[in-house]
Amino acid sequence: MSGCLEFLKWVLGVEEHEEDLHVVLGSRSTSKTHPTAFHPSPSPKPLPSFLKPGSSSSKPSPSLPKASPSSSGPSSSSSKQPPSFKPTLSQVSPDSINEQTKVSYMRVQKGMSPVYAIPKDIEDLIKRDKVPGVLNEPLSLSTYKHYFAALLYAEDFYIEKWSEFKLEKITLKLQRAEIIKKSRRNEYLNETYEKDDKIFVEFEIDSCCERRPFLLSRDFAFARPSGQKTEPCQGIIYRVEKSTRVVVEFGEDFLLQHHSTRKYDVSFSFNRVCLKRAHHAIEAASDPLFKSFLFPDGVSKKIFPISTPLHFCNHKLDGYQSSAVREILSFQGPPPYIVEGPLCLNKFSELSRTGLVIQEAVLQIYQSSSKLRILICAPINRTCDMLMQSLNNDIPESDMFRANAAFREIDGVPIDILPSCAYKGECFTCPSLQELRKFRVILSTFVSSFRLRNEGIAAGHFSHIFLVDASSATEPEAMVPLANLASEETAVIVTGAPGNHSGWVRSNIARKNGLMTSYFERLRNSKPYRSLLPQFITQLVDPEKESVGDYSYASVSYD
């Protein structure tokens, strides 16, 4: 990982998000015009060794295509304030390569990665705890972009507000823990477990939310011995317990210098990458051509009745599950089809009744035609991994690809699906566009699906997009795969549980004014779905109780 981190620091903050791994490296600016821009060091840094020609690196699995670096997609911006951009690396043309055939790189300013700085008028309102006017208007296609942008700006302001927060002269305690990970489970093989001994660092934080930031798993913590000006040690927040106890995983650099009596100053860095992806997605979704996905009132559904009997792979599906699978197979294009039921995984990390519907539908689509392409997205890695494991017995690994955020920990990926991932060294990569097009089933978290778009996958490439557990994500987060990769010919299936909400909304303004309402919930309350017509929605009723089950889950926490 050291080579990857070296590269990240060198390019001043390459950011990659997945729902449960947030990487933001570099110093946070205090500039009001560009509140989270990264600034270059006063003196240039040498090119990392692993980027130089001829440097060695780990190769992807033989079954996988050669990975190529992803390219950023087209930019979009606020109408009130143009986005600012960060510098990137660009290889000099072959004519500029010197006689020793050493490749040269130069820093270029590309209009490819908008920062989406908060407009001044919205910032002034949020500072005074005033709700931006657009949030008082009815949500429609004409207000969609500005409505969700205001909510995302409220989140961004919260992050900036607490960027200077620091705990001073606190005690950090070491805690040894044994992490048990389930590495495999399917119908034919027994479960296997891996044990990993870790040393975590614990400290207390104020219980009053007005006096401290709202911390999430995978935010960063930086610890420096009090009174010293040394480089702080960087750790990743593992979990926050009872809102007052923070558990952080630091590296060896911290453990080697630590002793129990030492006092520390601790600061934090908050993920912003998901906000950038979300801003881009809501702009794409506000296109008038996308209206039938966002506001499906009065949209007629393209129904293609199944002419031949279905031979289910899972013979234990009940009538409600079987009906949901048939409906999923019999339509094309908007509006989306809703499956209302429990979240995809139950409390034992097994496929729930909803998960079994998704599994069966994917297998039926896969077997029906080699021309169809399926994208399965979920808010968290654990769900994507489990779904992929459930498909492994029936779909060759050469036909499936598991897209990961670049800096997801490889050790956290189940062994049996690692061959369907692409990675170089300790960094996950994305195959070339040509190779991506060959995969018949791709699984990704909502936000990491942006990598597919970056590689050039066009809207409409996927015949079916499954937004799994969409009730656990914010609507802008769900729009990342939908707005970037769906077309008028794409069948979109949205699953969720009533009463379930996203767990990552930090800002009170955003929480109280619409960001907690998921795409699943908003669709479910719209006209076509309230009627409970089977061509629009299936409720996975418990056959024994003949009623919809109690799915009032707590908010999903990220892995």
Side-chain angles (χ1 to χ4, degrees), residues 392-408:
N392 263 348
N393 293 322
D394 300 284
I395 300 178
E397 66 181 34
S398 58
D399 281 347
M400 289 199 293
F401 175 61
R402 174 68 170 93
N404 291 285
F407 294 94
R408 183 187 181 188

Side-chain angles (χ1 to χ4, degrees), residues 215-265:
L215 299 173
L216 294 172
S217 171
R218 293 303 181 182
D219 282 337
F220 280 92
F222 299 89
R224 173 190 285 134
S226 298
Q228 297 186 17
K229 295 184 178 181
T230 57
E231 190 73 17
C233 298
Q234 175 181 287
I236 298 176
I237 294 178
Y238 187 76
R239 68 161 59 95
V240 180
E241 299 177 349
K242 299 181 180 179
S243 300
T244 60
R245 191 162 69 106
V246 183
V247 181
V248 182
E249 184 177 1
F250 283 99
E252 288 188 8
D253 57 339
F254 174 86
L255 298 175
L256 289 174
Q257 59 81 51
H258 175 74
H259 56 78
S260 58
T261 60
R262 175 163 285 173
K263 299 292 184 181
Y264 292 89
D265 297 338

Side-chain angles (χ1 to χ4, degrees), residues 318 320 353 541-547:
D318 60 44
Y320 296 100
R353 298 177 70 235
V541 176
D542 188 330
E544 297 181 359
K545 299 179 181 179
E546 288 299 318
S547 63

Side-chain angles (χ1 to χ4, degrees), residues 160-206:
E160 186 61 22
K161 171 185 174 182
W162 291 103
S163 62
E164 302 300 320
F165 178 82
K166 183 166 64 174
L167 298 172
E168 297 181 332
K169 297 180 180 179
I170 66 169
T171 300
L172 304 182
K173 300 178 181 178
L174 300 186
Q175 177 197 47
R176 296 183 181 275
E178 185 179 71
I179 307 299
I180 300 177
K181 296 185 293 184
K182 190 183 298 183
S183 62
R184 189 169 187 132
R185 170 192 278 273
N186 58 43
E187 183 178 352
Y188 306 105
L189 298 175
N190 295 326
E191 293 177 353
T192 59
Y193 296 89
E194 296 176 354
K195 295 182 179 179
D196 188 12
D197 292 324
K198 288 184 177 291
I199 299 177
F200 292 105
V201 173
E202 295 180 353
F203 58 88
E204 298 293 322
I205 195 167
D206 200 311

Side-chain angles (χ1 to χ4, degrees), residues 262-508:
R262 175 163 285 173
K263 299 292 184 181
Y264 292 89
D265 297 338
V266 178
S267 58
F268 303 94
S269 177
F270 311 99
N271 171 59
R272 191 177 181 274
V273 180
C274 60
L275 294 177
K276 291 174 64 177
R277 300 292 181 256
H279 271 292
H280 181 279
I282 61 173
E283 290 194 357
S286 60
D287 188 308
L289 296 176
F290 210 70
K291 179 181 178 181
S292 52
F293 282 109
L294 298 180
F295 303 98
D297 293 7
V299 177
S300 59
K301 203 169 186 69
K302 300 176 185 176
I303 302 294
F304 301 94
I306 301 172
S307 57
T308 58
L310 290 179
H311 300 284
F312 287 110
C313 301
N314 184 349
H315 302 291
K316 297 181 180 179
L317 296 183
D318 60 44
Y320 296 100
Q321 293 171 304
S322 300
S323 176
V325 173
R326 288 189 178 90
E327 293 294 339
I328 290 170
L329 299 179
S330 65
F331 83 100
Q332 182 183 33
Y337 189 78
I338 283 183
V339 178
E340 180 180 279
L343 297 181
C344 186
L345 302 184
N346 62 25
K347 61 183 179 181
F348 304 108
S349 289
E350 300 168 327
L351 291 185
S352 68
R353 298 177 70 235
T354 302
L356 293 174
V357 167
I358 297 166
Q359 178 194 36
E360 184 67 38
V362 170
L363 291 176
Q364 293 289 337
I365 296 165
Y366 174 85
Q367 293 169 3
S368 66
S369 172
S370 61
K371 296 180 180 180
L372 300 179
R373 296 292 181 266
I374 306 166
L375 175 64
I376 306 171
C377 291
I380 60 174
N381 274 323
R382 185 167 60 250
T383 304
C384 294
D385 293 343
M386 191 64 198
L387 281 169
M388 190 164 196
Q389 287 177 308
S390 75
L391 299 169
N392 263 348
N393 293 322
D394 300 284
I395 300 178
E397 66 181 34
S398 58
D399 281 347
M400 289 199 293
F401 175 61
R402 174 68 170 93
N404 291 285
F407 294 94
R408 183 187 181 188
E409 294 181 9
I410 290 183
D411 290 344
V413 179
I415 296 172
D416 50 335
I417 69 173
L418 197 57
S420 294
C421 305
Y423 56 93
K424 186 175 183 180
E426 293 185 37
C427 302
F428 284 102
T429 61
C430 205
S432 67
L433 175 60
Q434 181 181 3
E435 295 297 338
L436 280 174
R437 285 174 173 162
K438 295 178 182 178
F439 292 115
R440 295 175 59 187
V441 181
I442 294 180
L443 296 95
S444 170
T445 58
F446 286 157
V447 179
S448 288
S449 67
F450 192 85
R451 303 192 79 182
L452 305 176
R453 175 214 178 261
N454 262 5
E455 284 298 329
I457 292 292
H461 169 77
F462 294 104
S463 59
H464 295 76
I465 295 179
F466 287 80
L467 301 182
V468 179
D469 293 348
S471 58
S472 299
T474 65
E475 180 157 343
E477 190 177 358
M479 286 301 111
V480 176
L482 189 58
N484 287 313
L485 299 169
S487 75
E488 286 292 316
E489 303 301 317
T490 307
V492 176
I493 299 90
V494 183
T495 80
N500 177 236
H501 298 285
S502 169
W504 70 262
V505 181
R506 306 176 195 253
S507 160
N508 280 333

